[in-house]
Amino acid sequence: MIRFSFSSLRVRLLLLVLIANLPALGLMLYSALEQRQAAAVEVQETALRLARLASSDQGRLIAGARQLLIVLAELSEVQRGSPQCNGLFSKLLQQYPLYANLGVAARNGDIFCSALPQSRVFSAADRSWFQRAIQTKDFAIGDYQIGRITGKPTVNFGYPILDDRGRIKAVVFSALDLAWLNHLAAEAQLPEGSTFTVTDQNGVILAHYPESERWVGKSLPASSALEAMLTQRVGVAEAASLEGVPSLFGFTPFVGSKEGGDVYVSIGIPKEAAFAEVNRMLARNLFGLGLVSLLALVVAWVGSDLFVLRRIDALLRAIKRLATGDLTARAGPSYGEGELGILSQTFDEMAGSLQAYTTQLEYQATHDALTGLPNGALLGDHLRQAVRHGERERKPQALLVIDLDRFKEINNTLGHSQGDVILREVGRRIRDMLRKSDTVARVVGDKYAALLPETGIEGAVVIAKKILKGLETPFSIEGLALDVEASIGIVVYPDHGEEADLLIQRGDVAMYQAKEAPNGYAVYASERDQHSPRRLTLMGELRHAIETGQMTLYYQPKLSLQTRRISGVEALVRWRHPERGVIPPAEFIVPAERTGLIRPLTLWVIQAALLQCRSWRKEGIEFPVSVNLSARNLFDPQLPDQVGNLLRTHGVPACGIEMEITESAIMADPARAMEILSRLRAMGIALSIDDFGTGYSSLGYLKKLRVDELKIDKSFVGDMVSDENDAMIVRSIIDLGHNLGLKVVAEGVEDEETWNRLAHLGCDTIQGYYISRPIPAEELIRWLRETAPKKGWGIGKPATIKEMS
């Protein structure tokens, strides 16, 4: 079945044939337009000629009326104003049936002589013909009027009667019966459908053919023809007739009178009649052109199918096969000559190149360009196939995720080109140590993976040890012997998951677990998976928990060793989950830092701490509250402004709060951390370096930061009594802090012996379970009132403490 669509070649060929006929069609329409214009000019000239002929005829009528009035003005009966003129005019009216009345009007306008009897004396003083005859002292033509004596529509002619001194003493007049004028119009030889119209200078219709009774006495509607007639006097125009028919008009004033311009004759010829012959000629030409075009379309239809479309259809079939993935599709083998032959041959060459290029792309898409090993995409495909095979055969499938340790140091030291040599050699070694049925892939960077079909946990551990052993042999690069170590994570289907993506994800988790293992490998352990579903669920609930009041603060007191007074508290956040109870910070703080929720959580902690600080200050307890900041907080340029707004909102001075920052957070980006901390310090907020001694602080940055205190990490304080190395580290930190003008706080004080040792070393403040565990705010008040006094510990500065009882 043939389908017609503009996109089809057949339709486009037919359109080209039609387009080829457009010049002939345009020439034909242009010729028709020229002929119409010529016909319009000819018809307008005809209308003007007929109007002039009609005007000439009517002009003779007016000339006759003028001559008649001149003769009547000389009659003695008229000159004397004798009553006998009535009878004389009555006889003359019978001889001239075109007139409705003959008469004489005195100088004041009173009609004293009339061919028709008067029931009373009528005045013509207000008639235009009378006024013009008086003003001009010559023949005058009046406007359309209904005669007062005759009661008929007439146009009056007047002629003045002068005395011996040339003064007007009367006006003789004749009333032209417009019915007679319409009779003359009906006898005029006009083209079929034409109109004949006589109008006065005001546009009032004096005669109209046809349907004179319908139009006589009415005014012409405003049109271009009326405007042209009143301004040009003689000419042509195009407008609609009184009947609404588009027509071409010729117009001219009456001929034969000085006042001939007062009356106009116009002839209107319908456009349809004017262009009838032109339209018939155009129709014949269009019919001929259509017949020729139809014949050309038939020839194009048959010829295109025989000489073009069959060969193109064969090429299209080959293209469709190629589009469906059949890279063997070809249009040949016989190409023939001409453009279509070249097109078919070009297609076959392109298809051959595409087949070769696709094969190359498929290899590149599934293999690593550096090592030639399968890449992560191909590994995933093989793993999914292995999982399906394991489901059918009920056999385990093992996946090893291998990551090189500290490989970045090799790149930074020797350069990436030498690092690439190591990566290729590592891939080769791993490949050589495994079976041919195993898949070794370079996933990304310095991470590899090995898929071991039908291998359980024990076998996977053996292979992991083998790989680690094989990598112990140093790699020789430009005479250098380099040791390369690796960490291997092990997952096994179905023990650690039944989906390929889950196994890959857990293999990564096991690999990171292996970096902390002493032997370099680790089998996936769900309890150590920080990305477990439980943790993901908690992160999904954490934002809601912050907004709905599930978070709370515990406070751990700090004790000054010199004054034995409580010098402050550290605020520690806890999560009271409605279903899981109290969730320790270790389960949500680190994930919150990774997801960005640490920012709203920190702002909540600061606000809650300030509210509690304000409440305590009202009771006279004015020690500062310490709040911990994370690395993400130190990279947030809005934090200082937000803290300042909270201080102002809750009416707490800057000395009421302290900020604790870990060494590692500062050193992640020292420049940005210094900017944020400097802004906080400028506000008057005290700063403390938490967990000091566990990171890699730069003393230069420590000096520039202008912090207020150092907090020795509890990992050094806890065993300092029994471990002299820890004691030495603690002593060094205390001396360093004091030399820099900083206070030193020791965390993790669990017993009195540690207290005494720290006091001996000159430590300023201690914090730990020996003083108090972190407790809620309400319990802290009771602890301050009851427990602390029993041990001889005071609270803050005595001058600022109210009575606690």
Side-chain angles (χ1 to χ4, degrees), residues 427-436 438-440:
R428 185 193 62 78
R429 284 196 191 182
I430 296 174
R431 174 69 271 174
D432 292 346
M433 286 185 281
L434 301 184
R435 302 168 297 182
K436 291 185 178 180
D438 299 333
T439 299
V440 177

Side-chain angles (χ1 to χ4, degrees), residues 641-662:
D641 294 335
Q642 292 170 335
V643 172
N645 291 334
L646 290 174
L647 287 171
R648 288 188 294 271
T649 299
H650 300 296
V652 177
C655 62
I657 190 169
E658 295 179 349
M659 299 293 182
E660 296 188 7
I661 314 99
T662 63

Side-chain angles (χ1 to χ4, degrees), residues 4 6 9-29 286 288-301:
F4 290 89
F6 179 74
L9 183 60
R10 186 190 301 273
V11 171
R12 294 191 179 193
L13 288 173
L14 297 181
L15 285 177
L16 286 176
V17 173
L18 292 177
I19 292 173
N21 289 323
L22 288 180
L25 178 61
L27 182 61
M28 187 181 299
L29 294 177
L286 289 176
L289 179 63
L291 189 62
V292 171
S293 299
L294 179 61
L295 180 61
L297 289 174
V298 172
V299 172
W301 181 283

Side-chain angles (χ1 to χ4, degrees), residues 452-767:
L452 313 176
E454 301 183 8
T455 303
I457 293 177
E458 294 80 5
V461 170
V462 172
I463 297 299
K465 291 179 179 179
K466 182 180 179 180
I467 293 174
L468 293 173
K469 183 67 175 177
L471 294 178
E472 289 180 357
T473 304
F475 293 83
S476 179
I477 301 295
E478 294 185 349
L480 297 176
L482 299 179
D483 291 329
V484 176
E485 298 178 353
S487 299
I488 302 178
I490 302 172
V491 289
V492 176
Y493 166 87
D495 298 351
H496 302 133
E498 297 184 358
E499 296 180 0
D501 293 340
L502 182 60
L503 289 170
I504 292 174
Q505 183 262 327
R506 289 182 171 174
D508 282 336
V509 172
M511 180 267 293
Y512 285 110
Q513 293 173 354
K515 289 186 179 294
E516 302 175 2
N519 50 16
Y521 68 88
V523 179
Y524 173 78
S526 59
E527 63 274 9
R528 298 179 60 195
D529 187 356
Q530 296 183 354
H531 303 279
S532 63
R534 181 175 185 273
R535 283 184 179 253
L536 293 176
T537 302
L538 284 178
M539 287 303 97
E541 297 175 350
L542 180 57
R543 186 181 297 277
H544 178 71
I546 297 172
E547 297 171 352
T548 56
Q550 295 180 21
M551 314 307 293
T552 187
L553 289 184
Y554 279 41
Y555 299 91
Q556 188 173 33
K558 300 177 183 179
L559 182 69
S560 171
L561 289 176
Q562 283 74 26
T563 63
R564 297 179 64 87
R565 292 183 177 276
I566 303 301
S567 59
V569 293
E570 180 179 0
L572 301 168
V573 67
R574 298 291 187 268
W575 181 357
R576 291 178 176 173
H577 196 283
E579 297 177 358
R580 303 176 183 177
V582 177
I583 300 176
E587 292 194 23
F588 65 87
I589 292 295
V590 174
E593 289 180 339
R594 292 174 178 170
T595 60
L597 287 175
I598 195 66
R599 290 176 178 171
L601 179 59
T602 300
L603 289 177
W604 181 90
V605 170
I606 294 173
Q607 178 163 268
L610 289 175
L611 285 171
Q612 187 60 61
C613 183
R614 183 179 66 180
S615 176
W616 286 339
R617 291 176 74 86
K618 289 180 179 180
E619 298 184 26
I621 305 174
E622 296 186 3
F623 48 60
V625 179
S626 299
V627 175
N628 291 281
L629 297 182
S630 73
R632 279 183 178 263
N633 296 135
L634 293 183
F635 303 150
D636 184 1
Q638 298 178 355
L639 178 66
D641 294 335
Q642 292 170 335
V643 172
N645 291 334
L646 290 174
L647 287 171
R648 288 188 294 271
T649 299
H650 300 296
V652 177
C655 62
I657 190 169
E658 295 179 349
M659 299 293 182
E660 296 188 7
I661 314 99
T662 63
E663 281 186 282
S664 57
I666 296 174
M667 298 312 296
D669 190 341
R672 292 176 64 183
M674 285 179 61
E675 178 186 355
I676 300 301
L677 294 176
S678 296
R679 290 170 60 188
L680 292 172
R681 187 71 172 77
M683 296 166 57
I685 297 174
L687 302 177
S688 175
I689 304 297
D690 196 13
D691 299 338
F692 190 82
T694 60
Y696 303 93
S697 294
S698 166
L699 296 181
Y701 280 120
L702 185 60
K703 180 179 179 181
K704 294 178 183 179
L705 283 174
R706 296 176 56 199
V707 297
D708 297 277
E709 69 177 22
L710 301 179
K711 295 188 72 173
I712 306 173
D713 187 70
K714 60 185 178 181
S715 62
F716 303 117
V717 176
D719 296 330
M720 65 176 293
V721 174
S722 58
D723 190 328
E724 192 58 35
N725 289 329
D726 286 348
M728 186 178 299
I729 292 174
V730 172
R731 180 188 302 110
S732 299
I733 294 174
I734 293 173
D735 292 341
L736 173 63
H738 288 166
N739 289 332
L740 292 174
L742 307 178
K743 294 181 180 180
V744 180
V745 180
E747 296 183 295
V749 177
E750 306 292 338
D751 51 49
E752 185 176 3
E753 189 174 0
T754 304
W755 169 323
N756 293 331
R757 188 70 178 272
L758 289 168
H760 176 72
L761 294 175
C763 185
D764 300 294
T765 306
I766 60 174
Q767 178 182 350

Side-chain angles (χ1 to χ4, degrees), residues 30-77:
Y30 176 77
S31 176
L33 179 61
E34 292 288 321
Q35 292 172 356
R36 286 175 68 88
Q37 291 177 343
V41 172
E42 182 180 355
V43 168
Q44 287 176 324
E45 290 177 350
T46 300
L48 181 59
R49 184 173 64 255
L50 292 175
R52 285 172 172 166
L53 289 174
S55 174
S56 177
D57 292 340
Q58 305 307 317
R60 285 193 294 272
L61 184 150
I62 293 175
R66 184 175 187 276
Q67 189 63 39
L68 175 63
L69 292 180
I70 292 173
V71 172
L72 292 178
E74 298 296 328
L75 293 176
S76 59
E77 292 85 349

